[in-house]
């Protein structure tokens, strides 16, 4: 089982890295796609909303499919679709064709996102300890690899269609290679053992009796607690979206930093977030998810406040780095908590959290932009500070999470103090 579980974890890493790489390659080549289709910046902004809409639709559909068919079937289908869907934007010649292409790319991304996160929950459940943040760290590393590879291919003058075809073929090879190691549905004995082990812990915390009644009657309703987790994911992913779109402009427009220096604002944020995700599982194993979200979101708020209010570049860079470090371990805890609530509904629950979270990511630029017409950009950035404070205050919702038990040899319960020092 140990070798099987290790292989499944490596396969999950591969799919997270693939997702980050595919979407990163698209992001790097957005200017070229814009130029090829002859659209304006404003039109591109509207079309990118279709990418978000497609992702949301894919998440909701694949959440149910993953529960019905199993992650072993849906993850490779989502990965293949996401990989292949990166080609149509390269073939688009005008706004309508790019619109269709972006919706398809978003749909494929949403399918892979939910199914691979659901499989990650399954891997974490069998490990019996936190591993979710490490998967999200590898997603970030896939994006970094895409930025490096994309920049090199652009300097070599590769045609966009050739580049995206190569990306698609690479994705299909990774999918075929990693799929055999994915976990299947748990056997009846394993599922029963987990149910017996977690029933006593889960029962006292289950207050959503309406959802239970609906499940018994054959019609499942999403528990209220899942929606709370989804709203918290929306708040913190909105903050992440703010960093993606406004950190560089903040240093350049507010503090007057040169363009090359201003780029370090996002670099500091992204690097700190990646490092934090690599370390977060160890912290969660020792302190629990409530601690990570409460103090992580709190630290993120303090970091962004320092960045927004600092009149100097150096403290602002430190603030953006602290912002990324604080946020790094928070959102994976919401995915994990939602997935562990009900094993046979993990896909649907994860899709709710991922869907609202993704909408938050898209809403970041849309929220801050209009605010800059009323107040300076640095003051507008105080809104995410308030959102971080709200998430920190609500972190206690994670305390009621039923903890997974490893099969066949349980480890210390995930989310409690532990002496587990295994590598994340």
């Amino acid at each position: 089982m140990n070798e099987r579980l290790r292989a499944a974890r490596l396969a999950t890493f591969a799919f997270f890295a693939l997702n980050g790489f595919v979407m990163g390659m698209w992001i790097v080549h957005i200017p070229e796609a814009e130029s090829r289709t002859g659209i304006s910046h404003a039109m591109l902004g509207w079309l990118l909303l279709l990418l978000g809409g497609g992702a949301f639709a894919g998440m909701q559909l694949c959440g149910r499919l993953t529960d019905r068919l199993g992650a072993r079937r849906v993850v490779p289908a989502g990965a293949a679709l996401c990989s292949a869907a990166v080609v149509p934007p390269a073939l688009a010649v005008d706004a309508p064709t790019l619109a269709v292409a972006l919706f398809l790319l978003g749909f494929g991304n949403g399918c892979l996102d939910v199914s691979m996160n659901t499989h990650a929950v399954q891997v974490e459940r069998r490990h019996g300890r936190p591993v979710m943040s490490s998967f999200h760290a590898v997603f970030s590393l896939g994006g970094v690899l895409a930025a490096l590879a994309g920049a090199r291919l652009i300097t070599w003058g590769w045609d966009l269609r050739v580049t995206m075809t190569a990306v698609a073929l690479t994705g299909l090879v990774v999918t075929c290679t990693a799929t055999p190691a994915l976990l299947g549905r748990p056997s009846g004995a394993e599922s029963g053992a987990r149910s017996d082990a977690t029933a006593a812990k889960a029962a006292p915390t289950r207050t959503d009796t309406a959802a239970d009644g609906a499940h018994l009657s054959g019609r499942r309703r999403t528990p209220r607690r899942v929606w709370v987790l989804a709203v918290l994911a929306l708040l913190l992913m909105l903050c992440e979206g703010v960093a993606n779109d406004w950190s560089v402009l903040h240093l350049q427009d507010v503090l007057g930093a040169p363009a090359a220096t201003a780029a370090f604002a996002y670099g500091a944020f992204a690097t700190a977030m990646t490092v934090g995700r690599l370390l977060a599982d160890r912290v969660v194993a020792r302190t629990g998810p409530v601690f990570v979200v409460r103090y992580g979101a709190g630290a993120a708020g303090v970091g962004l406040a320092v960045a927004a209010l600092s009149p100097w570049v150096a403290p602002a860079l430190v603030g953006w780095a602290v912002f990324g470090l604080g946020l790094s371990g928070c959102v994976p805890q919401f995915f994990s908590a939602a997935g562990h609530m009900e094993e046979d509904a993990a896909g649907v629950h994860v899709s709710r959290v991922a869907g609202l979270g993704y909408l938050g990511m898209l809403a970041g630029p849309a929220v801050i932009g209009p605010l800059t017409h009323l107040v300076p950009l640095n003051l507008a950035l105080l809104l995410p500070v308030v959102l971080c404070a709200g998430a920190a205050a609500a972190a206690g919702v994670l305390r009621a999470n039923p903890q997974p038990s490893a099969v066949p040899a349980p480890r210390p319960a995930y989310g409690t103090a532990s002496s587990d020092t295994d590598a994340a």
Side-chain angles (χ1 to χ4, degrees):
M1 168 61 90
N2 288 338
E3 289 299 324
R4 180 78 178 92
L5 188 56
R6 187 176 296 111
R9 188 178 180 188
L10 291 175
T12 311
F13 279 134
F15 284 110
F16 271 80
L18 173 62
N19 191 202
F21 181 75
V22 169
M23 297 310 296
M25 288 296 285
W26 155 246
I27 291 171
V28 169
H29 289 88
I30 284 177
E32 186 173 352
E34 181 185 39
S35 176
R36 287 174 60 88
T37 54
I39 61 176
S40 64
H41 293 328
M43 177 59 70
L44 177 64
W46 286 108
L47 294 182
L48 289 176
L49 291 178
L50 288 173
L51 188 147
F56 186 83
M59 289 173 183
Q60 303 315 304
L61 174 63
C62 275
R64 296 185 180 278
L65 285 179
T66 303
D67 289 336
R68 181 176 302 176
L69 303 177
R72 184 181 176 88
R73 294 182 179 179
V74 181
V75 170
L81 178 58
C82 184
S83 300
V86 80
V87 176
L91 304 177
V93 295
D94 52 23
T97 53
L98 184 59
V100 174
L102 289 181
F103 184 86
L104 291 175
L105 177 59
F107 186 83
N109 176 50
C111 291
L112 177 56
D113 191 301
V114 164
S115 59
M116 72 183 185
N117 272 288
T118 304
H119 186 265
V121 169
Q122 190 176 347
V123 171
E124 185 175 64
R125 182 180 290 115
R126 296 199 183 188
H127 266 289
R129 62 183 175 88
V131 295
M132 181 64 77
S133 294
S134 62
F135 293 132
H136 286 251
V138 171
F139 173 88
S140 299
L141 292 176
V144 171
L145 178 60
L148 296 174
R152 174 55 62 185
L153 294 178
I154 289 173
T155 60
W156 286 347
W158 278 37
D159 185 273
L160 180 60
R161 293 165 293 186
V162 175
T163 296
M164 292 309 181
T165 300
V167 171
L169 292 175
T170 301
L172 294 175
V173 169
V174 171
T175 299
C176 292
T177 303
T179 294
L182 294 176
L183 295 174
R185 291 182 179 275
S187 66
E190 290 180 351
S191 181
R194 273 199 298 274
S195 298
D196 293 340
T198 59
K201 288 182 283 186
T205 62
R206 293 295 298 277
T207 59
D208 199 348
T209 56
D212 291 341
H215 175 48
L216 293 174
S217 66
R219 182 174 179 270
R220 184 187 299 277
R221 294 173 57 188
T222 302
R224 288 188 295 271
R225 184 164 166 267
V226 171
W227 290 116
V228 174
L229 294 170
V231 169
L232 292 176
L234 183 150
L235 296 182
L236 293 187
M237 290 182 74
L238 186 151
C239 295
E240 185 177 343
V242 167
N244 293 342
D245 292 275
W246 295 100
S247 56
V248 175
L249 286 174
H250 165 246
L251 256 68
Q252 193 167 354
D253 294 351
V254 176
L255 300 181
T261 302
F264 283 107
Y266 177 71
F269 169 83
T271 301
M273 173 165 278
T274 302
V275 172
R277 284 178 171 172
L278 289 171
L279 301 175
D281 289 330
R282 290 178 177 271
V283 180
V284 174
R286 286 166 172 77
T287 64
V290 175
F291 178 94
V292 169
V293 172
R294 177 167 293 155
Y295 292 99
V302 171
L304 184 56
V306 169
L309 300 177
S310 173
W312 303 291
V313 171
L317 288 174
V318 173
W320 282 111
V322 173
F323 185 50
L325 186 64
L327 288 179
S328 61
C330 295
V331 172
Q333 308 317 312
F334 304 141
F335 281 78
S336 182
H340 286 305
M341 284 183 64
E342 297 173 298
E343 183 172 357
D344 59 344
V348 170
H349 294 345
V350 169
S351 74
R352 301 294 189 258
V353 175
L356 279 189
Y358 198 83
L359 291 180
M361 181 80 76
L362 294 175
V367 169
I368 297 299
L371 280 180
T372 59
H373 295 295
L374 303 175
V375 296
L377 174 58
N378 61 323
L379 296 183
L381 292 177
L382 294 179
L383 173 61
V385 173
V386 175
L387 299 183
C388 287
V397 69
L398 293 166
R399 186 173 291 114
N401 190 42
Q403 308 300 340
S405 299
V407 177
R411 297 189 180 211
Y414 158 43
T416 61
S418 169
S419 60
D420 185 5
T421 57
D422 292 347

